[in-house]
């Protein structure tokens, strides 16, 4: 396995930070105390070695360290304000986001973390409002036809969520897509180590960066349910074979502006102290049930 690990010996100061920081212990000192790829099978191409080298002496996978952006400090107050001010947007301007902004979003997604650095996520974008309107129309028509069938209609009355969806669509309310001009679907290989976590983390990064660019976003549970129910729409979105759609996010220019942050109720926080690990059988059984019930 050739990861094309290279050392510029004129730059290398033999600090061994790359060796010490390698999460899979793939690197080791050579006879001159410079790093070498000692266990190539261990390497997961995370590029930690390239990123940590103080003199830009490390190259891997033909990546030139001089082409990497320098790291600069982030104002923590601005970052906190971005998190605090994020809102789920359900009113959008009916216009396309400019291509340069969409490209910035795509470029950012290349940096999202994944389990075992499994860089195989797929992102399906609807970038043109005309395509979005076509997708929206086909989904809404399918929902109405499906739930108006007598056997399905009888059963669906037991599930108010789906009846609410159908009735809202029939009354002209775009309850699924909120009239958003764009959407993104994160998909992951079904055999990856943590597909659900990878997809949700990626969309979380997407959401914050999109908000920093002046866009609005909304996590779209209804659309996610539609993809699970109707595989033809997974094909429409060109999700690769062997992949599963993890979640859907709507986005576009906001047609609404919030003026201040909210004042949320606090979550539950636990400060854990050192303790003896003694758990009875009933507690273990309950915890196991709660862990796997979903």
């Amino acid at each position: 396995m050739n990861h094309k690990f290279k050392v510029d010996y004129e730059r290398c100061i033999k600090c061994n930070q790359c060796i010490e920081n390698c999460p899979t212990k793939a690197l080791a000192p050579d006879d001159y105390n410079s790093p070498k790829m000692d266990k190539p099978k261990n390497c997961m191409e995370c590029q930690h070695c390239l990123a940590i080298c103080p003199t830009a002496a490390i190259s891997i996978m033909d990546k030139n360290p001089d082409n990497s952006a320098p790291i600069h400090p982030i104002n923590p107050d601005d970052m906190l304000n971005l998190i605090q001010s994020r809102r789920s947007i359900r009113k959008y301007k009916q216009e396309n986001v400019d291509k340069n902004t969409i490209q910035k979003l795509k470029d950012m997604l290349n940096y999202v973390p994944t389990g075992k650095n499994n860089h195989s996520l797929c992102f399906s974008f609807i970038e043109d409002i005309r395509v979005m309107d076509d997708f929206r129309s086909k989904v809404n028509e399918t929902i109405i036809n499906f739930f108006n069938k007598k056997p399905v209609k009888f059963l669906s009355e037991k599930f108010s969520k789906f009846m609410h969806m159908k009735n809202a669509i029939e009354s002209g309310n775009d309850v699924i897509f909120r009239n958003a001009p764009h959407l993104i679907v994160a998909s992951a290989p079904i055999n990856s180590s943590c597909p659900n976590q990878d997809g949700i983390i990626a969309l979380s990064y997407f959401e914050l960066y999109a908000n920093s660019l002046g866009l609005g976003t909304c996590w779209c549970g209804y659309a996610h349910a539609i993809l699970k129910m109707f595989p033809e729409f997974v094909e429409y979105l060109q999700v690769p074979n062997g992949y599963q759609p993890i979640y859907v996010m709507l986005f576009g220019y906001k047609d609404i502006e919030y003026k201040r942050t909210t004042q949320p109720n606090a979550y539950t926080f636990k400060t854990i102290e050192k303790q003896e690990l003694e758990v009875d059988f009933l507690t273990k059984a309950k915890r196991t049930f709660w862990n796997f019930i979903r």
Side-chain angles (χ1 to χ4, degrees):
M1 186 176 295
N2 184 8
H3 303 286
K4 298 182 180 179
F5 179 84
K6 297 177 182 178
V7 179
D8 184 336
Y9 295 104
E10 292 185 358
R11 291 184 176 186
C12 180
I13 59 174
K14 307 181 190 301
C15 65
N16 284 341
Q17 289 191 58
C18 56
I19 297 172
E20 295 169 1
N21 194 55
C22 180
T24 60
K25 307 302 180 186
L27 304 181
D30 64 13
D31 293 339
Y32 302 97
N33 204 35
S34 290
K36 67 175 181 179
M37 180 64 70
D38 187 52
K39 298 177 180 177
K41 290 184 178 180
N42 287 8
C43 179
M44 61 180 183
E45 299 183 340
C46 65
Q47 301 184 47
H48 277 16
C49 52
L50 177 147
I52 202 171
C53 180
T55 58
I58 301 296
S59 172
I60 188 169
M61 302 152 52
D62 285 332
K63 308 292 185 182
N64 185 341
D66 292 333
N67 293 334
S68 294
I71 297 175
H72 54 82
I74 302 297
N75 186 316
D77 292 333
D78 290 343
M79 186 66 194
L80 178 60
N81 184 257
L82 176 62
I83 295 170
Q84 291 173 329
S85 60
R86 182 221 62 85
R87 297 282 90 203
S88 294
I89 300 299
R90 297 176 177 86
K91 291 185 178 181
Y92 295 90
K93 295 180 180 179
Q94 297 304 295
E95 59 185 85
N96 285 327
V97 171
D98 68 273
K99 292 185 180 298
N100 182 55
T101 299
I102 289 182
Q103 189 59 51
K104 286 182 178 180
L105 290 164
K106 290 180 178 180
D107 292 341
M108 179 279 301
L109 286 168
N110 290 317
Y111 290 88
V112 301
T114 54
K116 297 183 178 180
N117 197 43
N118 183 5
H119 230 242
S120 55
L121 289 171
C122 176
F123 300 100
S124 301
F125 277 78
I126 293 185
E127 303 178 29
D128 190 321
I129 194 170
R130 294 172 298 180
V131 179
M132 186 69 195
D133 286 341
D134 179 67
F135 185 71
R136 186 189 342 261
S137 175
K138 286 180 168 62
V139 168
N140 289 343
E141 182 181 358
T142 298
I143 291 296
I144 292 172
N145 291 339
F146 182 79
F147 285 105
N148 275 338
K149 294 178 180 178
K150 287 186 178 180
V152 178
K153 187 175 182 181
F154 172 77
L155 292 174
S156 66
E157 288 174 352
K158 301 180 184 298
F159 304 97
S160 59
K161 179 176 73 171
F162 293 106
M163 288 304 296
H164 167 73
M165 185 192 305
K166 180 188 77 71
N167 293 337
I169 294 170
E170 288 181 324
S171 65
N173 183 4
D174 185 19
V175 68
I176 300 178
F177 301 108
R178 310 292 181 177
N179 294 308
H182 307 292
L183 65 72
I184 174 178
V185 180
S187 303
I190 59 176
N191 61 353
S192 59
S193 57
C194 43
N196 291 325
Q197 292 84 346
D198 289 346
I200 296 300
I201 289 171
L203 290 179
S204 297
Y205 275 56
F206 179 93
E207 177 181 42
L208 289 177
Y209 188 50
N211 276 259
S212 78
L213 294 172
L215 303 180
T217 57
C218 187
W219 296 84
C220 193
Y222 275 153
H224 177 60
I226 296 304
L227 296 185
K228 294 177 70 174
M229 293 174 60
F230 301 101
E232 57 266 38
F233 294 118
V234 180
E235 289 296 310
Y236 188 110
L237 294 167
Q238 299 179 28
V239 174
N241 290 331
Y243 278 61
Q244 58 176 311
I246 302 303
Y247 218 80
V248 182
M249 182 167 285
L250 310 174
F251 72 97
Y253 291 125
K254 296 176 287 185
D255 199 22
I256 186 173
E257 289 293 337
Y258 292 94
K259 303 302 182 182
R260 62 195 56 82
T261 68
T262 60
Q263 302 174 42
N265 296 327
Y267 287 122
T268 300
F269 300 91
K270 301 283 189 179
T271 300
I272 308 304
E273 305 290 345
K274 185 178 179 180
Q275 56 191 291
E276 296 297 325
L277 191 61
E278 295 181 1
V279 181
D280 59 63
F281 175 79
L282 181 58
T283 300
K284 284 185 178 181
K286 288 192 297 185
R287 288 293 181 187
T288 301
F289 175 75
W290 292 331
N291 285 345
F292 293 98
I293 190 172
R294 293 300 297 269

